[in-house]
Amino acid sequence: MKRRDIIILVIVLVASLTLYLLRPKAIEDPSAVAYLRISIAGQTQELIPLTEEREIRIEQNNGDYNVIQVFEGGFRMIESNCYNQDCILQGEVTVDNIGSRALANEIICLPHQLVLSLVTEDETVLELEP
Amino acid sequence: MIKTRRLAFAAVLISIMMVLGYLESFLPVSPIPGIKLGLANSVLIISLYWLGIPASFQIMLIKNVLLGLLLGNPMLIPYSVSGGILSLALMSILYKRRGISPIGVGITGGVAHNIGQVLLAMIILGTPSLVFYLAILMPAGAVMGFITGTVARILMGHFPPHKHLKRQTIIQTEETKP
């Protein structure tokens, strides 16, 4: 390790720490209704209130499919025909565990360009404005 | 003669990188997607020092496309290429500067690779909030980069480059390959 190697390392660590401190930690208003936002390739497809248990199957034209399990206050990916199954390994997102997840409020299936995010009503309204 | 030597050496480096990438695909999947060792980066660092910048870009592109096709996930080739381009670009800027060893180059490469991939994901998936994911990926990239940089430094110390490789000639025949 030379002098500038250490400078590079310090820059990286400071940048990471800054992002870590700025990251979304929890839903601020606990009484707000939480929604599941489903988006494919950056386009919001559906908003589902997280109030009752149900399963949602998403099929795309090219044969890609994902199955989401929705329950009160959260959701998880339970099935996908993508090759790496990363989305299933990402576990569940709930109103309470956002701060402790690497991907915070999101589950991402990269091969299918599918993003599931947990959003509150305010955020939802913001996102829906054209 | 020098061109042939360099071409042969570049081909050997690509095949080593392919084997390393293939072997790494057998490692258990981490619960945090995006974190991987990236040992092939050691080879790319050596290529940067010994063959120069243009040849290294060619090697990186060929390796990423071929490995993507080999492992059956062509959907993800753009991600590895965007990571590879940003990573190699920054490593190219740094590697000849004074006060920077292959370890610093490796750390830069590992971190930049993750940044490049996340940037592309942010654009394709339309999720700017992914930037916070870098809080975890960047330190992971730094650790992996430290390892790959150290490996590259040790290897280069043990196997000094053949004197004919040092000439800065571009491998022209490589371009028609992929």
Side-chain angles (χ1 to χ4, degrees), chain A residues 50-129:
Chain A
L50 301 174
T51 45
E52 54 174 357
E53 203 154 315
R54 59 186 281 203
E55 275 183 18
I56 299 161
R57 191 180 164 94
I58 301 165
E59 292 203 34
Q60 298 182 45
N61 295 334
N62 55 5
D64 293 348
Y65 74 87
N66 294 71
V67 182
I68 307 160
Q69 185 183 42
V70 174
F71 48 90
E72 216 184 310
F75 53 87
R76 66 169 73 87
M77 190 82 79
I78 51 173
E79 210 185 318
S80 168
N81 64 342
C82 61
Y83 77 96
N84 61 7
Q85 304 287 302
D86 270 353
C87 47
I88 292 163
L89 287 167
Q90 286 162 30
E92 60 179 35
V93 179
T94 67
V95 179
D96 304 317
N97 77 354
I98 290 176
S100 60
R101 289 183 80 247
L103 277 165
N105 62 332
E106 283 161 353
I107 292 178
I108 295 177
C109 184
L110 210 52
H112 294 177
Q113 305 196 347
L114 174 73
V115 181
L116 313 177
S117 10
L118 195 151
V119 293
T120 59
E121 208 164 12
D122 308 349
E123 258 188 70
T124 306
V125 174
L126 274 176
E127 292 286 335
L128 280 180
E129 275 174 7

Side-chain angles (χ1 to χ4, degrees), chain B residues 150-168:
Chain B
T150 308
V151 170
R153 200 184 70 159
I154 294 169
L155 284 178
M156 282 191 289
H158 281 282
F159 305 100
H162 195 284
K163 60 179 187 239
H164 292 309
L165 285 174
K166 279 185 168 173
R167 285 275 296 272
Q168 291 288 324

Side-chain angles (χ1 to χ4, degrees), chain A residues 19-28 95-100 104:
Chain A
L19 283 176
Y20 182 78
L21 294 174
L22 292 175
R23 81 196 195 287
K25 287 173 196 79
I27 289 175
E28 281 162 23
V95 179
D96 304 317
N97 77 354
I98 290 176
S100 60

Side-chain angles (χ1 to χ4, degrees), chain B residues 69-88:
Chain B
L69 294 173
L70 180 76
L71 296 182
N73 46 336
M75 278 293 290
L76 298 193
I77 292 178
Y79 290 95
S80 52
V81 169
S82 70
I85 289 175
L86 187 65
S87 160
L88 192 50

